[in-house]
Amino acid sequence: MFLATSPVSLFETAKESEVQQSIWLTMWTSMLATIVFAFMAIPLSYLMARKTFPLKKLITGIIDLPVVIPHSAAGIAILGFVSRNSVLGKIGSSIGLDFVGKPAGIAVAMAFVSIPYLINAARDGFSGVSVRLENAALSLGASPSRVFFTVSLPLAWRNIVSGLILMFARGMSEFGAIIVVAYHPMVTPVLIYERFGSFGLKYARPVSVLFILISLAVFILLRFLAREKDSSESSQNR
Amino acid sequence: MLELRNISVTLGNFSLKSINISVDKGDYFILLGVSGAGKSMVLETIAGLLQPDKGFIFLDGKDITYEKIQRRSVGLVFQDHAIFPHMSVKENIAYSLYGRIESPSEKKNKIQKIAEQIGISILLNRKPSTLSGGELQRVALARTLIQEPKVLLLDEPLASMDIQLRSELRGLLRRLNRNGQTIVHVTHDYEEALSLGGKIAVIHNGKILQTGTPMDVFQQPRSEFVAHFTGAKNFFRVTTSKDAGHTIAIVNDKISIYLPAEAYENNGYIILRAEDIILSRQRIDSSAVNNFEGTVKDIIPSRTGVEVLIDIGILIHAIITRESMNHLEIAEGNLIWISFKATAIRFIQA
């Protein structure tokens, strides 16, 4: 694919405002989905790692469900609870937030299919934090919330960052669920599909290559930043 | 000051059964028991990390049985130190000051003061991963002591340390106690218990078998387990002195026993294994420097032969075989000589 794409066509495609807007939309909606849903996913991961409660196994199964079901089916499910007739849709509409055919809907679809990656990574991170350290913090007078923010979260941070990167990546690459919830505005995977369907392989290829290159650059940068943080912490440890 | 009344706790298949402990202000209280006896569970129950099924815990007369961990005024030092690895030593020590001390200068002074007291001033900016086991233990102590707990709870604080470090930390713990800190210390090591404890409780299978002073527990064990565990039938409190280059332990102001040549503190305990005592009809000329004549008070069959109780001014237990007893014609009321080497004596500094 890379060899069949000339630098000229790649350059011309990169200049197209439709392509630029699509890539930008894909990136910011995925970032938004990751950040917003992390506030729910991280505490949930902590509960899953630390607490025993009825139906825990069922909840674990539900968390992993988006990984195994067809994403078009996931899109239909999302449409059910964000459409204008649903409770969530009505609440959203009342404050001027529409989901169907809107970036907010794209973000929800991205989050739905990618959140298992964050929850599982964060849960593994929290499981790796010694309960003794949390108990020590409690016995030093810290409240449970302070223990979470000063001990559990920093010590699980490496896994959480990894989960955030994976969630962001998975969100960017989502197609099946998004095409059901919001064909327009077009995220890049939908744009590639649109160009392939309407104009053929030749027109779809440069956008694909461009999106792959940009994704690659973003993830290399994110991994690099995460590693930089780790190595600066470990050098402080020395 | 600290009182546990009929505390029972269940954790999986193991349970603490009706634990009664009373610790006075300024006490150095030792909980002595083998691994798996339930010692750490007692500490964690006092600290509030485990909830009792029944019973009460009182601190200064206040019922703290179901008090939140944060409000108990007790400080727990974990066996594995539980130092926060992502914080510096200073941040670890300052952890409990959050919300209690606002002024940075007051906080700094407090940290500096405790660091000097514990001897870790030069470690304040280090990360825990660069510290040795002994240094981590000191940091854990400083971090707990800065809270000014009414009772300091120590879970095997000297375990897995070399002799030099152990001796230093014992000195530190003694100093803290002398300065008025009430301490409850859990250990499986009876030497540690003797060296530090003002009061000892022996725990086994989740039950307290005996509580008392070191003399009570070691000289008058009230159960076979305590006798076996403490393993010291010939156990005496002594004062030491020097005489013509020899170190002498004086028991009850009347019996002088030669000790190995090292210099000792003035007070301590000596332990002599019953198997290390030689009995003879007459005084023997040997390398054993301790020779006494006494009267046989009792003969008790034991698993390995017979235990002979001899009165030499103090009661000495000796274990010999049945053949030796028959050969020496040992009988109650007979006079007999006992001898043992100075190097057979174990001296424990009090």
Side-chain angles (χ1 to χ4, degrees):
Chain A
M1 182 167 74
F2 281 83
L3 294 175
T5 310
S6 69
V8 175
S9 67
L10 204 60
F11 185 67
E12 289 301 320
T13 306
K15 282 203 301 186
E16 286 179 45
S17 67
E18 188 187 26
V19 173
Q20 287 173 4
Q21 281 169 11
S22 167
I23 290 176
W24 174 236
L25 175 71
T26 310
M27 290 181 70
W28 79 255
T29 46
S30 185
M31 185 61 80
L32 180 77
T34 305
I35 292 169
V36 170
F37 282 85
F39 283 100
M40 180 204 74
I42 293 172
L44 176 66
S45 314
Y46 182 73
L47 289 179
M48 299 296 290
R50 282 287 182 264
K51 306 288 177 192
T52 312
F53 49 84
L55 304 178
K56 186 177 172 180
K57 284 194 174 160
L58 179 69
I59 293 171
T60 308
I62 291 171
I63 288 168
D64 287 333
L65 200 62
V67 177
V68 292
I69 61 169
H71 286 185
S72 49
I76 300 293
I78 295 163
L79 204 55
F81 66 86
V82 299
S83 69
R84 289 184 185 91
N85 297 324
S86 69
V87 176
L88 191 65
K90 281 177 185 164
I91 295 169
S93 288
S94 68
I95 55 167
L97 181 69
D98 286 326
F99 292 97
V100 180
K102 301 287 180 190
I106 295 172
V108 170
M110 284 174 167
F112 184 77
V113 296
S114 61
I115 208 163
Y117 296 93
L118 172 59
I119 293 177
N120 289 334
R123 186 184 55 203
D124 291 348
F126 287 124
S127 298
V129 177
S130 164
V131 177
R132 271 204 179 289
L133 293 175
E134 292 174 350
N135 284 341
L138 283 173
S139 76
L140 289 166
S143 63
S145 62
R146 185 166 178 248
V147 173
F148 177 77
F149 285 111
T150 58
V151 177
S152 319
L153 194 61
L155 289 173
W157 189 240
R158 191 181 293 204
N159 284 59
I160 292 170
V161 167
S162 200
L164 288 168
I165 292 173
L166 275 176
M167 184 176 171
F168 175 55
R170 185 64 196 83
M172 272 179 73
S173 65
E174 180 51 22
F175 169 74
I178 294 173
I179 202 168
V180 175
V181 178
Y183 194 92
H184 288 284
M186 273 187 217
V187 290
T188 316
V190 177
L191 180 71
I192 293 167
Y193 172 74
E194 159 85 6
R195 290 199 169 192
F196 177 67
S198 304
F199 310 109
L201 183 62
K202 193 179 167 194
Y203 288 90
R205 200 185 282 134
V207 190
S208 304
V209 171
L210 192 65
F211 189 57
I212 289 170
L213 289 175
I214 290 173
S215 301
L216 202 63
V218 168
F219 295 118
I220 288 172
L221 180 71
L222 286 176
R223 288 280 179 206
F224 179 74
L225 291 176
R227 243 175 68 174
E228 276 287 285
K229 189 172 181 294
D230 284 347
S231 55
S232 69
E233 276 173 4
S234 56
S235 68
Q236 277 175 16
N237 287 346
R238 254 174 249 133
Chain B
M1 181 188 196
L2 174 70
E3 193 185 349
L4 272 68
R5 219 181 274 169
N6 290 321
I7 286 288
S8 296
V9 189
T10 306
L11 194 66
N13 296 327
F14 186 81
S15 57
L16 294 178
K17 299 157 199 114
S18 289
I19 300 287
N20 287 290
I21 285 174
S22 177
V23 182
D24 293 328
K25 190 170 166 52
D27 265 359
Y28 201 121
F29 190 94
I30 296 269
L31 203 50
L32 178 64
V34 293
S35 295
K39 313 180 292 283
S40 299
M41 265 176 86
V42 174
L43 283 197
E44 289 182 7
T45 307
I46 297 171
L49 298 173
L50 294 176
Q51 285 294 320
D53 303 327
K54 58 178 187 179
F56 298 94
I57 304 170
F58 294 95
L59 183 62
D60 280 343
K62 185 185 164 201
D63 184 355
I64 60 159
T65 317
Y66 300 103
E67 184 69 277
K68 282 187 172 175
I69 301 169
Q70 305 93 291
R71 296 192 190 144
R72 292 205 166 206
S73 303
V74 297
L76 173 60
V77 178
F78 290 86
Q79 184 175 359
D80 59 1
H81 323 306
I83 297 295
F84 306 131
H86 57 302
M87 297 181 194
S88 68
V89 168
K90 193 196 284 175
E91 287 164 341
N92 264 281
I93 295 174
Y95 191 82
S96 67
L97 299 181
Y98 176 84
R100 289 202 300 140
I101 294 178
E102 297 298 335
S103 144
S105 63
E106 195 187 339
K107 195 183 266 187
K108 193 177 164 190
N109 288 342
K110 213 164 160 49
I111 293 169
Q112 202 58 48
K113 193 175 158 200
I114 198 83
E116 276 166 23
Q117 188 188 353
I118 305 295
I120 52 168
S121 300
I122 56 163
L123 305 178
L124 286 176
N125 293 318
R126 298 258 297 271
K127 281 277 185 178
S129 56
T130 66
L131 304 181
S132 68
E135 288 168 337
L136 284 170
Q137 187 62 271
R138 281 171 186 265
V139 174
L141 262 177
R143 186 179 68 173
T144 306
L145 284 170
I146 204 165
Q147 304 179 88
E148 296 169 2
K150 288 181 180 167
V151 181
L152 178 62
L153 308 171
L154 304 172
D155 192 355
E156 299 269 12
L158 308 179
S160 67
M161 284 190 190
D162 61 40
I163 293 171
Q164 173 71 22
L165 266 178
R166 202 175 285 196
S167 160
E168 278 176 34
L169 271 169
R170 274 184 193 170
L172 176 63
L173 294 176
R174 268 193 214 105
R175 258 198 329 275
L176 287 171
N177 182 238
R178 271 203 296 268
N179 292 340
Q181 178 67 58
T182 309
I183 297 176
V184 177
H185 173 144
V186 151
T187 181
H188 65 277
D189 182 345
Y190 72 86
E191 279 195 37
E192 200 171 302
L194 283 172
S195 172
L196 293 164
K199 213 191 247 183
I200 295 176
V202 180
I203 184 169
H204 186 59
N205 276 340
K207 278 186 192 160
I208 300 281
L209 299 182
Q210 188 172 355
T211 307
T213 63
M215 292 300 286
D216 292 338
V217 174
F218 280 78
Q219 271 198 329
Q220 290 145 18
R222 284 211 301 258
S223 71
E224 199 178 328
F225 174 80
V226 177
H228 184 70
F229 178 62
T230 53
K233 296 207 163 173
N234 298 309
F235 169 84
F236 306 101
R237 189 173 181 91
V238 298
T239 52
T240 58
S241 65
K242 290 273 182 190
D243 178 35
H246 294 287
T247 308
I248 293 173
I250 300 153
V251 189
N252 293 352
D253 292 329
K254 50 187 176 187
I255 303 292
S256 297
I257 294 173
Y258 287 102
L259 296 180
E262 297 90 21
Y264 293 116
E265 298 267 328
N266 281 333
N267 294 301
Y269 301 94
I270 58 167
I271 294 173
L272 179 59
R273 276 164 34 94
E275 292 84 350
D276 289 339
I277 293 172
I278 296 167
L279 302 187
S280 56
R281 301 268 297 271
Q282 280 152 5
R283 182 178 177 137
I284 52 172
D285 191 17
S286 71
S287 62
V289 287
N290 292 298
N291 296 281
F292 302 92
E293 190 176 32
T295 311
V296 175
K297 285 287 178 192
D298 203 357
I299 300 167
I300 309 150
S302 76
R303 268 182 306 168
T304 49
V306 287
E307 185 179 331
V308 185
L309 198 59
I310 304 130
D311 185 358
I312 61 165
I314 52 175
L315 284 175
I316 296 284
H317 297 253
I319 289 178
I320 57 171
T321 58
R322 286 183 182 280
E323 291 77 15
S324 298
M325 185 183 78
N326 294 336
H327 172 69
L328 293 169
E329 296 171 355
I330 292 173
E332 275 183 46
N334 284 1
L335 286 174
I336 193 108
W337 278 88
I338 70 166
S339 57
F340 49 90
K341 294 165 77 170
T343 48
I345 297 167
R346 189 156 197 167
F347 179 87
I348 298 165
Q349 186 191 322

